Amino acid sequence: MNQTDVEAASAPSNFVRDIVAEDLAAGRVKSVITRFPPEPNGYLHIGHAKSICLNFGLAEEFAGRCNLRFDDTNPAKEEQEYIDAIQQDVRWLGYDWGDHLYFASDYFEQLYDWAEHLIREGKAYVDDLSAEEIRDYRGTLTEPGRGSPFRDRTVEENLDLFRKMRSGAFKEGERVLRARIDMASGNINLRDPVLYRILHQSHPRTGSTWCIYPTYDFAHGQSDAIEHISHSVCTLEFADHRPLYDWLIENLPVPSQPKQYEFSRLNLGHTVLSKRALIQLVEEGHVRGWDDPRMPTISGLRRRGIPAAAIREFCSRIGVTKQDNVIEMALLDFCVRELLNAKAERRMAVLDPLKLVIENYPEGQSEELEAVNNPEDETAGTRKVPFSRELYIERDDFMEDPPKKFFRLAPGREVRLRYAFFVTCNEVIKNDAGEIVELRCTYDPETRGGNAPDGRKVKATMHWVSAEHAVPAEVRLYEPLFTDEEPNIRDGLAAALNPDSLKRMTNCRLEPALGDAALGVPVQFERLGYFCLDPDSTNEKRVFNRVVALRDTWAKLRAKA
Ligand code: ATP
Ligand code: MG
């Protein structure tokens, strides 16, 4: 078994699910309320899908609910475009938040009140140190921090300054509000973390109402508490923030006591899953946009033709643990193939056409042959495929001087054209440059449907299309965006990118039924892989993306390397 098979065979663990089940059984929580909390500063990627499937999956399994809450606390980087795209992507993945769409910005007034509450309790203060000085005073992992000279301001002075911060009296960076916890704490997050900073920025939802914004730490747990979240699930990098999360929940008059649990984030081989790097790919023009089919974004995967159900299956198979690891792209491919093998209709398409003329077939004549739409699914029925004197076959399927193991078409050899006839190659026609431009063949009319009445066998069955009936197309073949399984992008993206991640086949020929292919409905091109119509298609030229090849050629290539 290869790596993918091993992963596919073992039952996925999900420790968060176990915790939720135990909490319900022990009566520690009455109903399960989770949330997915994206920051609208980019498009969602497949790492987010892991979190979405976990949070919405828990709600589904335990008859609870999952809120969609935008963590919109940094107007400098957040945009309405991202808010809209994120909602579209979560819905497309198959999840529904019902009426429970929330924004951290909905709670700005409440959060502000709670900040004043901390000030009145002597647990927060306005600090005049600059960001750099704060970093300097904070100490290191081995040295305690030092208290700010402004740490012991009176409640009155703090309230007055904080209100002035809100009313716009200060410039960005001039003052912050900090929690007053413990500058000697072994956990740096507890060394008087910043709760509010000044940002003279317009916010996509609150406009110019605010010029101070809560930090992630001050907004997140309190938003969870307001929404009565029972299990606040996030990725491991927030584990060190949990003591602060708990401190704020304990020290504020919040309406519920949520608990945070952390799991390891998804890392996927041969790509990057950090929004910063994805933004860079888009902005530096390495890809065509967020929905480039090579991108690991949900919109890219969708455009490529990867079904939402395959992403959900992938997320279920990888499980939920605290171990850090890198998942092979091959596992996603495996899920896609498994699903599409059962569901996708089969069609014939020739990516690199070579003309084949059947000399004993009457000119101007054609006939229709019956082809099975999906051998895995009888209910998918059959369709008619036109056959005529001039056909195209795949250039790769012919060799003039074949080596021993090549069983497809060659001079003097007979092969089967799928669903059609046996044909024999009699002559090879070349251009002045010596390139093969046409094959002259004869067919055996007795073999209609693909079998010889005399029982003779052929060693190959090939796909083909009728030249005059064919639909012209461009087909885009994709390989991983990055050469290495764990790309090193510290010195920029360019050097790490796979120069062959996109190959455009611009002269393809499709059987006529593919002229009616629909966006978002992948089909199998027989012998080639799964393909899906791209929105770049026009009536003159269809454009198809290869979703995934039939077999894992990438793994084989690398094994050779
Ligand atoms: P990035 O680090 O790429 O900027 P982020 O974590 O800041 O992403 P958010 O919008 O804050 O992005 O993420 C929303 C939720 O998705 C968070 O709960 C986060 O933990 C989770 N998440 C983000 N990336 C991954 C990942 N690779 N695997 C699993 N969950 C993830
Ligand atoms: Mg984040």
Side-chain angles (χ1 to χ4, degrees):
M1 280 204 291
N2 64 30
Q3 177 71 11
T4 307
D5 292 338
V6 173
E7 275 158 349
S10 54
S13 65
N14 179 338
F15 78 97
V16 180
R17 182 190 173 281
D18 299 341
I19 289 172
V20 172
E22 280 162 26
D23 283 349
L24 280 169
R28 282 190 291 270
V29 300
K30 296 261 165 327
S31 60
V32 175
I33 307 178
T34 56
R35 84 286 171 268
F36 174 63
E39 184 180 354
N41 61 352
Y43 280 62
L44 296 182
H45 54 62
I46 189 161
H48 294 115
K50 176 176 181 180
S51 173
I52 292 167
C53 291
L54 173 58
N55 281 296
F56 280 93
L58 290 170
E60 246 165 34
E61 182 173 351
F62 296 104
R65 72 158 196 259
C66 181
N67 301 345
L68 176 60
R69 183 204 315 143
F70 284 97
D71 175 28
D72 56 345
T73 51
N74 184 4
K77 290 192 177 161
E78 295 161 6
E79 286 172 29
Q80 187 62 41
E81 178 194 347
Y82 299 138
I83 294 178
D84 297 338
I86 287 169
Q87 293 186 54
Q88 186 193 1
D89 288 350
V90 176
R91 251 194 222 107
W92 178 78
L93 276 172
Y95 297 107
D96 185 3
W97 51 90
D99 298 331
H100 302 284
L101 173 64
Y102 303 111
F103 293 83
S105 57
D106 296 341
Y107 313 134
F108 280 174
E109 197 64 51
Q110 175 67 77
L111 292 171
Y112 177 87
D113 287 346
W114 281 335
E116 286 208 352
H117 174 91
L118 286 181
I119 293 173
R120 277 190 295 272
E121 302 273 302
K123 292 172 183 163
Y125 60 97
V126 172
D127 196 351
D128 300 2
L129 293 184
S130 69
E132 211 172 300
E133 287 165 325
I134 289 177
R135 216 173 303 126
D136 194 41
Y137 275 70
R138 187 175 290 140
T140 64
L141 285 173
T142 50
E143 283 168 44
R146 287 169 290 142
S148 162
F150 306 97
R151 198 169 195 259
D152 296 315
R153 280 178 159 148
T154 64
V155 168
E156 287 66 34
E157 194 184 356
N158 278 318
L159 274 179
D160 177 58
L161 284 169
F162 189 48
R163 287 170 188 167
K164 284 189 174 132
M165 275 172 67
R166 175 181 183 161
S167 67
F170 307 121
K171 291 200 285 285
E172 279 188 19
E174 231 179 313
R175 286 188 167 81
V176 292
L177 183 74
R178 296 178 73 176
R180 196 167 186 281
I181 307 181
D182 178 5
M183 287 309 290
S185 172
N187 184 332
I188 291 183
N189 290 292
L190 293 180
R191 295 183 191 169
D192 293 10
V194 172
L195 305 181
Y196 267 89
R197 69 263 199 243
I198 298 168
L199 288 169
H200 290 283
Q201 298 260 359
S202 168
H203 183 283
R205 295 186 54 88
T206 59
S208 57
T209 308
W210 295 90
C211 63
I212 55 171
Y213 291 92
T215 55
Y216 169 87
D217 284 317
F218 193 62
H220 202 85
Q222 284 61 264
S223 300
D224 286 343
I226 292 169
E227 295 173 18
H228 293 261
I229 300 300
S230 63
H231 298 83
S232 178
V233 187
C234 62
T235 35
L236 278 173
E237 68 269 26
F238 295 106
D240 288 345
H241 294 239
R242 181 159 23 95
L244 174 56
Y245 183 104
D246 292 340
W247 186 90
L248 288 164
I249 295 293
E250 271 162 33
N251 284 281
L252 288 169
V254 288
S256 75
Q257 268 69 44
K259 290 228 157 20
Q260 176 182 299
Y261 303 88
E262 308 91 16
F263 66 99
S264 64
R265 57 197 292 127
L266 170 66
N267 301 303
L268 192 60
H270 300 284
T271 192
V272 292
L273 293 183
S274 109
K275 274 192 256 180
R276 206 171 45 81
L278 295 176
I279 287 176
Q280 216 179 324
L281 280 168
V282 174
E283 287 183 350
E284 292 177 7
H286 300 298
V287 294
R288 289 181 48 194
W290 286 99
D291 69 345
D292 187 302
R294 291 167 292 176
M295 290 280 273
T297 51
I298 303 300
S299 50
L301 299 171
R302 176 169 62 231
R303 179 167 182 173
R304 179 155 172 169
I306 290 181
I311 298 176
R312 293 197 301 268
E313 175 64 19
F314 169 78
C315 290
S316 141
R317 281 175 189 259
I318 58 179
V320 179
T321 69
K322 280 181 179 283
Q323 274 94 52
D324 244 331
N325 57 3
V326 179
I327 305 288
E328 260 296 342
M329 193 80 90
L331 182 63
L332 178 61
D333 292 346
F334 170 88
C335 295
V336 173
R337 278 191 206 104
E338 192 179 54
L339 185 88
L340 292 183
N341 180 47
K343 286 220 164 140
E345 296 209 341
R346 275 56 168 175
R347 297 287 184 265
M348 290 196 287
V350 174
L351 302 194
D352 186 8
L354 173 61
K355 188 168 268 184
L356 183 156
V357 179
I358 301 175
E359 295 182 295
N360 60 339
Y361 196 91
E363 265 178 65
Q365 187 175 309
S366 69
E367 64 192 284
E368 293 201 309
L369 298 162
E370 182 142 298
V372 173
N373 282 332
N374 185 352
E376 304 286 320
D377 176 11
E378 243 176 65
T379 64
T382 60
R383 69 187 184 286
K384 300 284 192 217
V385 185
F387 184 87
S388 63
R389 182 181 159 88
E390 298 202 351
L391 311 174
Y392 289 116
I393 62 162
E394 208 71 64
R395 189 166 283 275
D396 274 3
D397 280 339
F398 176 81
M399 282 186 92
E400 194 173 12
D401 191 11
K404 253 200 169 140
K405 292 220 165 128
F406 186 88
F407 297 117
R408 292 165 276 164
L409 198 58
R413 190 180 285 175
E414 186 173 49
V415 298
R416 177 191 292 111
L417 295 181
R418 178 100 158 132
Y419 298 122
F421 299 94
F422 285 10
V423 294
T424 304
C425 176
N426 305 315
E427 191 189 345
V428 180
I429 298 186
K430 297 181 181 171
N431 63 13
D432 294 344
E435 296 157 348
I436 300 171
V437 290
E438 193 176 301
L439 304 176
R440 293 270 155 174
C441 300
T442 46
Y443 85 122
D444 177 358
E446 299 294 314
T447 57
R448 195 173 199 274
N451 287 304
D454 64 5
R456 76 180 189 277
K457 300 274 183 243
V458 287
K459 286 215 169 119
T461 301
M462 291 161 27
H463 61 275
W464 54 276
V465 297
S466 164
E468 73 163 296
H469 302 93
V471 175
E474 172 178 331
V475 172
R476 297 176 182 162
L477 305 178
Y478 302 105
E479 296 293 344
L481 199 46
F482 291 90
T483 310
D484 292 344
E485 177 166 16
E486 298 185 58
N488 176 358
I489 56 169
R490 260 157 300 179
D491 307 319
L493 298 173
L497 287 167
N498 172 9
D500 303 317
S501 60
L502 167 63
K503 182 171 176 197
R504 297 171 64 165
M505 308 289 289
T506 53
N507 188 32
C508 310
R509 296 287 187 278
L510 316 176
E511 70 163 270
L514 282 169
D516 302 324
L519 287 172
V521 185
V523 288
Q524 184 189 105
F525 290 179
E526 296 221 17
R527 302 175 63 224
L528 298 174
Y530 296 96
F531 294 78
C532 195
L533 193 70
D534 187 88
D536 281 348
S537 293
T538 63
N539 277 337
E540 288 69 50
K541 193 168 206 174
R542 302 297 194 283
V543 177
F544 278 83
N545 298 312
R546 183 168 68 194
V547 186
V548 65
L550 285 182
R551 263 171 246 107
D552 186 359
T553 50
W554 176 259
K556 258 189 262 156
L557 275 180
R558 270 183 305 123
K560 272 193 222 144

